Amino acid sequence: MTIPLQTITSFRTTFNPFMRASRPCRLFLSLIRNPSTTSTSSPTHIDVKVTQLPRNSTQLPEMTIGFKGGKEVKLEVGKRQLKIGDVIEEVARVGRGIEREQTLKD
């Protein structure tokens, strides 16, 4: 399953890098950070904001993904015990829906 990077506009995440439950946040961050999404002049630019919690923090990891058209999806990774495959599947599902809407408008 691929991530529709052209539909994602922002990514915010909060996690403790030492918690096992934070793994999907770290992996998803590494998947969306590439040369085409980091440049602000790029059409596929993604605004990334990462908040790393201290080692002794017990706050569960979460991420919010903003899509074109103003839609936002908040995933409580720690509370729902999501794996990276679950996160990619959810983001891809929403991204496909947005792409479908854009093709119907054109």
Side-chain angles (χ1 to χ4, degrees):
M1 182 125 327
T2 60
I3 302 169
L5 293 177
Q6 64 277 8
T7 61
I8 299 174
T9 57
S10 67
F11 176 71
R12 292 187 312 271
T13 185
T14 302
F15 63 90
N16 174 351
F18 300 100
M19 266 180 114
R20 183 174 178 84
S22 299
R23 188 169 187 252
C25 295
R26 295 189 322 263
L27 291 174
F28 192 78
L29 179 63
S30 70
L31 289 173
I32 64 169
R33 262 201 187 152
N34 60 49
S36 70
T37 61
T38 54
S39 171
T40 55
S41 61
S42 171
T44 58
H45 171 70
I46 298 175
D47 182 32
V48 176
K49 289 188 177 60
V50 177
T51 306
Q52 288 190 0
L53 300 170
R55 181 177 218 140
N56 57 359
S57 173
T58 58
Q59 182 179 339
L60 294 174
E62 61 184 27
M63 60 175 78
T64 305
I65 301 110
F67 293 91
K68 288 185 178 176
K71 184 168 178 94
E72 275 195 355
V73 173
K74 182 175 182 178
L75 297 173
E76 294 176 330
V77 178
K79 186 185 261 185
R80 294 176 48 195
Q81 297 182 347
L82 298 175
K83 304 227 179 302
I84 185 64
D86 302 330
V87 171
I88 292 173
E89 186 177 320
E90 183 71 18
V91 170
R93 184 184 63 79
V94 174
R96 283 191 310 269
I98 290 171
E99 284 177 337
R100 197 174 308 121
E101 287 176 11
Q102 288 177 346
T103 57
L104 291 174
K105 286 181 183 175
D106 295 339

